[in-house]
Amino acid sequence: ELIKIYHTYCRYKKFKSVMPLFKEDFEELEILGYYNNNKVVAFSMITKYPSSMNVYADQFAWDYKDPSLRLGINSLKSECAYYKSLGYKYYYLGQTNKYKEQIDGFEILGPV
């Protein structure tokens, strides 16, 4: 079901090229599912780095069947709060996007 959601998401976004999802991704990464009416409609794939107490948002996808859910931004807000409650220091969101600036504590990393 998650692969179908991913394909729907990629088509909706009209991505010209996408990274495939592999079976190992679902076994090795943390998967958070989002449900609406008892049906999975979205998921996040998270890499955890316990040695530095950081997490990275590898992939998020949702089916866009109910845009009023605003799952893109609401999942990020929930995940930031969740990992903070577990003691993680940073939740890396990947590429910067305007909507991500709505997250409390959002910052853009500078050069190395």
Side-chain angles (χ1 to χ4, degrees), residues 4 7 10 13 27 29-30 39 42 73 76 79 101 105 108:
K4 286 178 14 185
H7 290 164
C10 292
K13 291 290 199 171
E27 296 168 354
L29 301 176
E30 182 156 278
K39 184 176 187 308
I73 189 66
L76 285 177
E79 291 166 19
E101 294 177 15
I108 296 175

Side-chain angles (χ1 to χ4, degrees), residues 10-109:
C10 292
R11 283 192 299 276
Y12 180 87
K13 291 290 199 171
K14 298 180 179 158
F15 293 146
K16 293 179 192 242
S17 177
V18 297
M19 288 295 296
L21 297 182
F22 300 101
K23 177 184 172 194
E24 291 82 4
D25 293 329
F26 295 99
E27 296 168 354
E28 296 172 11
L29 301 176
E30 182 156 278
I31 308 297
L32 302 176
Y34 294 89
Y35 291 78
N36 188 35
N37 296 322
N38 296 316
K39 184 176 187 308
V40 66
V41 295
F43 69 92
S44 290
M45 297 178 112
I46 310 294
T47 298
K48 297 192 305 187
Y49 300 98
S51 63
S52 61
M53 292 306 289
N54 293 299
V55 291
Y56 176 75
D58 285 283
Q59 180 64 59
F60 171 79
W62 70 300
D63 65 10
Y64 282 94
K65 288 183 180 171
D66 185 353
S68 70
L69 296 173
R70 301 190 68 223
L71 285 176
I73 189 66
N74 287 328
S75 65
L76 285 177
K77 288 178 180 180
S78 295
E79 291 166 19
C80 286
Y82 173 68
Y83 287 106
K84 182 178 182 178
S85 76
L86 296 178
Y88 285 89
K89 294 187 290 188
Y90 287 97
Y91 184 91
Y92 293 96
L93 304 175
Q95 292 179 321
T96 184
N97 297 91
K98 195 73 174 159
Y99 76 94
K100 293 177 182 177
E101 294 177 15
Q102 297 175 46
I103 304 293
D104 287 340
F106 174 84
E107 61 184 283
I108 296 175
L109 295 176

